Amino acid sequence: MSAFNELIGTPAFDLGEAAIPSAYSEPKQAHEDIIVGYKPKSDGALEPVYFSEDFWDLNLYKPLTARQNYYFNFESFENPQRQEIKELCHLWLNRHATSASSISKCQPSYFKPFYDFARNHGISIKEALSDEKWIADLVHSAVTLTPATLQNLKWKIKLIRRFRLQGIIDWGPPSEKLINALNSTNIAYEVGNQTSVIPSRIYCNLITGLSDLLNEFVEQDIANKLIALYEKIDALPYAGGLRGKLVVLSVTKRGGHNLRNTHTIESLLEDVGLTEWLKKYDHELNLIELDKLVMVVQLAARLWIHCFTGMRDMEVRSLPYVCLGKIESKGKQITVIRGLTSKLTGMGAINTLWVTNDIVQVAVDVAKSIGRYFAAYHGVKIEEGLMPLFPKKGLPGKIHTTVDFKPNTGSLDKVWMRLLQIIPNITIEESDLKELERFQSFTPDFRKKFKVGSTWPLHTHQLRRSLAVYTARSNKVEIGAMTAQFKHLGLVMQEYYRRGSVWAVNLLESPVQNEYVSGIRGLVELIEINERLKQFDDFEERVINEAGPLAGGAGSVFKRIKRDGGSIILEEDREYTKQAFVDGRTAFKESPIGWCTKREACDKIKITNDTQCIGCENSVFTPKDERKLLNHIEYLKTAKSGYSTGSMFEKHYALQIDKTEKTLAKIRGVNQ
C-alpha cells in the first residue's frame, strides 16, 4: 500500500516508474539517502526530494482536480520532534495512503497534536507513544480536544500500534492500554466553547489594576463628589426640573441659543473636584463622559467580586444591596456573600451564599456608593432591602422609588473596552501564550484567538475558571469544597473547571507576594477550613451516629471499634476531634462511590476503574451510600455489555461488579 500506487490523473502518471520513489525501509536506510518523491526541474528532468530537506515539493503527484498544493513544510517544527514528524509523514505516504489523492492526509499538520504534546512535556514523540508512564498525561491532554479531533487522534495511534506489531517500526504503543484509556474518555463539549484560564502574569496585573481603580474611587471620595455635583445642578436658577436644567447646561455660551447661562458643566465639575479624575482617564468634561467612567468603576467592582468568589456573571449582577456578612461556622468567623443561584437545583433561583475574603469589602462599598449616587440623581431615598447592588442609572423622571431600580443586566461591551484600556500591563506577551500552551497541551488553537501585542479579551467566566484552576493547583482545597463554592450540581462539572490544573502555574505558591494574591490565598484557606468542618459534620453523621453496618477498609475498623464498645477518634472529646479535622490531621471526604479517610489526594482511582475504593484501606461505606453503589453497579454492567463474553475486559468488569455487590450486601446487613 502506498500513495504512489495509483497516479492516474496526476502529472507523474505519464512519467511511469521514474516518478515513483523506493518503498519505505525504516530504520535500515539513512535519512539523507531516503528519496520521498520527485519534482520537475526547469528543463523537465526529475529531481529527487530527499527526506533530509525541510520542504518537500510533491506537487508532481497532485491530481489535476485538486486545489490544495502538495507541499510538506516542516520549518515551523522544532528539532528533535521535526525529524519525527517527517518520519510519520513518510510512514503514512508509504504504508497508509492508498492513492495520490490521499497524500493531502499525510501532511505535517495532521500530526501536530503529537508534536504539541511532546514539546510541552520536553520529550520525543516516540517516547510519548511508547512509554506507558505518559498514558495519564496523554489522556489529560486529549480531553481538551473536540470529539472529531479525538477520534482522529485515536485512529492514528491505532495505526502506529499496528505498524509496530507488523515490524515496520520499532516504536509505538506496546499494548492496548493507551487506546483503551482514550476510548474511556468522554467528550461533552467543544474546544471553541472552552473558557480560557487567564495567564498568571495577566491575572495578577488585572487584579492590581482593578484594585487601583476601586481604591482611587474611595480615596478621592468620588461618589460624594458626584452627589454634590447634582445638588449644585438642582440648585441652579433654571426652570424645568432636572431634565430642563440638564438641557440648559448642555448649551454653552457658544451655543446657538441666546441664554443667560452663567454656568457650564466644566465649571461645575471643577467646583466639585471631578475635573482631574476625568482628565486622568482621557474623558471629556461633560456629563455623558462622566457616567461612562462611573460605569467602568461599577464594572470593576463586579469583577473584583468575581475574582474573590468564583461566582457566575448573573449571580453577581443580581446581588442585593445588602449582601456581605459574617457567619460563625464551628466557632470561626467567615465572611460570606449572600445571593441567588439557579445552578444547585436546576429549577429556578434559590438563596445561597459564597465564602469570600474581607478584601471584597472595597468592591461592595464602591458599588453601594454608586447606588447612592444614582438615587441622589433621581431624588430617591434608598430602601436597602429593595435596592440591587449593581443597578442601572435610569433616565430622569423614570425612577420614583427604590423598586424602580433594576439590576444592570444589559450588554456592556463598550464599558468592557474602556475598562481594559485603563488597566495597565494586560497586553498579551509570548510568555503568556507559552504558559497557556503548557496548560492546554494539545490545543494550541488559542493562538488564533489570543495574539501577541493585543489586550487580553477578558470576560467573567475566565475569572471563575482561573480561580478554580489556581486554587486546585495549590493542592490546598478538596474538590468537594470547590463544588460547594462554585455552586455545581456535581463533581463532574467541577472536574471540568479544574481540568489541566496540574499544568498551571502554582500562583499561590509563587514569589508574587502582593496583597491581592494574599487575598486569594486567604480565600483558599477559608474555603478549605469550611470544607474540613463539613467533613467533621459528615463524619459525625455517617460514622459516629450511624447505627447501621459499615463497610470498606476504614469502615470495617470503625465497625469493630463500635461493636467492642470503644470510641472512634476520641468521640468523647468532640472539640478535639473537630480541631483534628480543621488542622488536616483527620479527613472524611466523599469519594465517587462512598467516603475516604485519606488526607492526601487519591492515587488509586484510575480512568478505567474507580472501583479501587472497594478494596482500599481508607474507604468507608454506610447504609446511606446504597444508591451510589447501585448506580455504580449499573454503570459497570453497561460497560461489561460492550465486550464479548470471556474477553479480558468482560472478566475485568465482572470482577468489579462482584466486589461492589459484596460491599452493597455488607451495608445492607447481609451475612454480618
Side-chain angles (χ1 to χ4, degrees), residues 210-225 277 281 297 301 359-370 372:
L210 291 174
S211 172
D212 291 344
L213 195 59
L214 295 174
N215 285 326
E216 178 187 48
F217 191 88
V218 173
E219 291 165 4
Q220 294 192 19
D221 200 19
I222 299 296
N224 285 328
K225 290 177 181 178
W277 189 56
Y281 297 107
V297 177
I359 204 170
V360 301
Q361 183 74 56
V362 65
V364 175
D365 288 345
V366 167
K368 283 185 173 182
S369 65
I370 291 175
R372 286 193 296 107

Coordinates of all heavy atoms in Angstrom, one line a residue, residues 210-225 277 281 297 301 359-370 372:
L210 N -7.5 46.5 38.9 CA -8.9 46.7 39.4 C -8.8 47.4 40.8 O -9.6 48.3 41.1 CB -9.6 45.4 39.5 CG -10.0 44.7 38.2 CD1 -10.5 43.3 38.5 CD2 -11.0 45.5 37.4
S211 N -7.9 46.9 41.6 CA -7.7 47.4 42.9 C -7.4 48.9 42.9 O -7.9 49.7 43.7 CB -6.6 46.7 43.7 OG -6.3 47.3 44.9
D212 N -6.5 49.3 42.0 CA -6.1 50.8 41.9 C -7.3 51.6 41.6 O -7.5 52.7 42.1 CB -5.0 50.9 40.8 CG -3.7 50.3 41.3 OD1 -3.5 50.1 42.5 OD2 -2.8 50.1 40.4
L213 N -8.1 51.1 40.6 CA -9.3 51.9 40.2 C -10.3 52.0 41.3 O -10.9 53.1 41.6 CB -9.9 51.1 39.0 CG -10.9 51.9 38.2 CD1 -10.3 53.2 37.6 CD2 -11.5 51.0 37.0
L214 N -10.5 50.9 42.1 CA -11.5 51.0 43.2 C -11.0 51.8 44.3 O -11.8 52.6 44.9 CB -11.8 49.5 43.6 CG -12.5 48.6 42.6 CD1 -12.6 47.2 43.1 CD2 -13.9 49.1 42.2
N215 N -9.8 51.6 44.7 CA -9.2 52.4 45.8 C -9.2 53.9 45.5 O -9.4 54.7 46.4 CB -7.8 51.9 46.2 CG -7.9 50.5 46.9 OD1 -8.8 50.3 47.7 ND2 -6.9 49.7 46.7
E216 N -8.9 54.2 44.3 CA -8.9 55.6 43.9 C -10.3 56.2 44.0 O -10.4 57.3 44.5 CB -8.4 55.8 42.5 CG -8.4 57.2 41.9 CD -8.1 57.3 40.5 OE1 -8.7 56.5 39.7 OE2 -7.2 58.1 40.1
F217 N -11.3 55.5 43.6 CA -12.7 55.9 43.7 C -13.0 56.2 45.2 O -13.7 57.2 45.5 CB -13.6 54.9 43.2 CG -15.0 55.3 43.0 CD1 -15.4 55.9 41.8 CD2 -16.0 55.1 43.9 CE1 -16.7 56.3 41.6 CE2 -17.3 55.5 43.7 CZ -17.7 56.1 42.6
V218 N -12.5 55.3 46.1 CA -12.8 55.5 47.5 C -12.0 56.7 48.1 O -12.5 57.6 48.8 CB -12.5 54.2 48.3 CG1 -12.7 54.4 49.8 CG2 -13.5 53.1 47.8
E219 N -10.7 56.7 47.9 CA -9.8 57.7 48.5 C -10.1 59.1 48.0 O -10.0 60.0 48.8 CB -8.4 57.3 48.1 CG -7.9 56.1 48.8 CD -6.6 55.5 48.2 OE1 -6.0 56.2 47.3 OE2 -6.1 54.4 48.7
Q220 N -10.6 59.3 46.8 CA -10.9 60.6 46.3 C -12.4 61.0 46.5 O -12.8 62.0 46.1 CB -10.6 60.7 44.8 CG -9.1 60.6 44.4 CD -8.8 61.0 43.0 OE1 -9.6 61.7 42.3 NE2 -7.7 60.6 42.5
D221 N -13.1 60.1 47.2 CA -14.5 60.3 47.6 C -15.3 60.7 46.4 O -16.1 61.7 46.4 CB -14.5 61.5 48.6 CG -15.8 61.5 49.4 OD1 -16.5 60.4 49.4 OD2 -16.1 62.5 50.0
I222 N -15.1 60.0 45.3 CA -15.8 60.3 44.0 C -17.3 60.3 44.1 O -18.0 61.1 43.6 CB -15.3 59.4 42.9 CG1 -13.8 59.5 42.7 CG2 -16.0 59.7 41.6 CD1 -13.3 60.8 42.2
A223 N -17.8 59.3 44.9 CA -19.3 59.2 45.0 C -19.9 60.4 45.6 O -20.9 60.9 45.1 CB -19.6 57.9 45.8
N224 N -19.3 60.9 46.7 CA -19.9 62.2 47.3 C -19.7 63.4 46.4 O -20.5 64.3 46.4 CB -19.3 62.4 48.6 CG -19.8 61.4 49.7 OD1 -21.0 61.0 49.6 ND2 -19.0 61.0 50.6
K225 N -18.6 63.4 45.6 CA -18.5 64.5 44.6 C -19.5 64.4 43.5 O -20.0 65.5 43.1 CB -17.1 64.4 44.0 CG -16.0 64.8 45.0 CD -14.6 64.6 44.4 CE -13.5 65.0 45.4 NZ -12.1 64.8 44.8
W277 N -10.0 63.8 37.8 CA -10.4 62.4 37.6 C -10.8 62.1 36.2 O -10.3 61.0 35.6 CB -11.5 62.1 38.6 CG -11.9 60.6 38.7 CD1 -11.0 59.6 39.1 CD2 -13.1 60.0 38.5 NE1 -11.7 58.4 39.1 CE2 -13.0 58.6 38.7 CE3 -14.4 60.5 38.1 CZ2 -14.0 57.7 38.6 CZ3 -15.4 59.6 37.9 CH2 -15.2 58.2 38.2
Y281 N -8.2 59.9 32.9 CA -8.6 58.8 32.0 C -9.0 59.2 30.6 O -9.7 58.5 29.9 CB -9.7 57.9 32.7 CG -9.2 57.3 34.0 CD1 -9.7 57.8 35.2 CD2 -8.3 56.3 34.0 CE1 -9.2 57.3 36.4 CE2 -7.8 55.7 35.2 CZ -8.3 56.2 36.4 OH -7.8 55.7 37.6
V297 N -16.1 52.0 36.6 CA -15.8 51.6 38.0 C -16.8 50.6 38.5 O -16.5 49.7 39.3 CB -15.8 52.9 38.9 CG1 -15.6 52.6 40.3 CG2 -14.8 53.9 38.4
A301 N -15.9 46.9 40.1 CA -16.4 46.4 41.4 C -17.0 45.0 41.2 O -16.8 44.1 42.0 CB -17.4 47.3 42.0
I359 N -11.4 41.2 51.7 CA -10.8 42.1 50.7 C -11.9 42.5 49.7 O -11.8 43.5 49.0 CB -9.7 41.3 49.9 CG1 -8.8 42.4 49.2 CG2 -10.2 40.3 48.9 CD1 -7.5 41.7 48.7
V360 N -13.1 41.8 49.6 CA -14.2 42.2 48.7 C -14.9 43.4 49.2 O -15.7 44.0 48.5 CB -15.2 41.0 48.5 CG1 -14.5 39.8 47.9 CG2 -15.9 40.7 49.7
Q361 N -14.7 43.8 50.5 CA -15.4 44.9 51.1 C -15.3 46.2 50.2 O -16.3 46.9 50.1 CB -14.8 45.2 52.5 CG -15.6 46.3 53.2 CD -16.9 45.9 53.8 OE1 -17.0 44.9 54.5 NE2 -18.0 46.6 53.4
V362 N -14.1 46.4 49.6 CA -13.9 47.6 48.9 C -14.9 47.7 47.7 O -15.4 48.7 47.3 CB -12.4 47.8 48.4 CG1 -12.0 46.7 47.5 CG2 -12.2 49.1 47.8
A363 N -15.1 46.5 47.0 CA -15.9 46.5 45.8 C -17.4 46.7 46.2 O -18.1 47.4 45.5 CB -15.8 45.1 45.1
V364 N -17.8 46.1 47.3 CA -19.2 46.3 47.8 C -19.4 47.7 48.2 O -20.4 48.3 47.9 CB -19.5 45.3 49.0 CG1 -20.8 45.6 49.6 CG2 -19.4 43.9 48.5
D365 N -18.4 48.4 48.9 CA -18.5 49.8 49.3 C -18.6 50.7 48.0 O -19.5 51.6 48.0 CB -17.3 50.2 50.1 CG -17.4 49.6 51.5 OD1 -18.4 49.1 51.9 OD2 -16.3 49.6 52.2
V366 N -17.8 50.4 47.0 CA -17.9 51.2 45.8 C -19.2 51.1 45.1 O -19.8 52.0 44.7 CB -16.7 50.8 44.9 CG1 -16.9 51.4 43.5 CG2 -15.4 51.3 45.4
A367 N -19.7 49.8 45.0 CA -21.0 49.6 44.3 C -22.1 50.3 45.1 O -23.0 50.9 44.5 CB -21.2 48.1 44.3
K368 N -22.1 50.2 46.4 CA -23.1 50.9 47.2 C -23.1 52.4 47.0 O -24.1 53.1 46.9 CB -22.9 50.5 48.7 CG -23.4 49.2 49.1 CD -23.3 49.0 50.6 CE -23.9 47.7 51.1 NZ -23.9 47.6 52.5
S369 N -21.9 53.0 47.0 CA -21.8 54.4 46.8 C -22.2 54.9 45.4 O -22.8 55.9 45.3 CB -20.3 54.9 47.1 OG -19.4 54.3 46.1
I370 N -22.0 54.0 44.4 CA -22.5 54.4 43.1 C -24.1 54.3 43.1 O -24.8 55.1 42.5 CB -21.9 53.4 42.0 CG1 -20.4 53.7 41.8 CG2 -22.7 53.5 40.7 CD1 -19.7 52.8 40.9
R372 N -25.9 55.0 45.7 CA -26.3 56.2 46.4 C -26.3 57.4 45.4 O -27.2 58.2 45.5 CB -25.4 56.5 47.6 CG -25.6 55.6 48.8 CD -24.9 56.1 50.0 NE -23.4 56.2 49.9 CZ -22.7 57.3 49.7 NH1 -23.3 58.5 49.7 NH2 -21.4 57.2 49.6

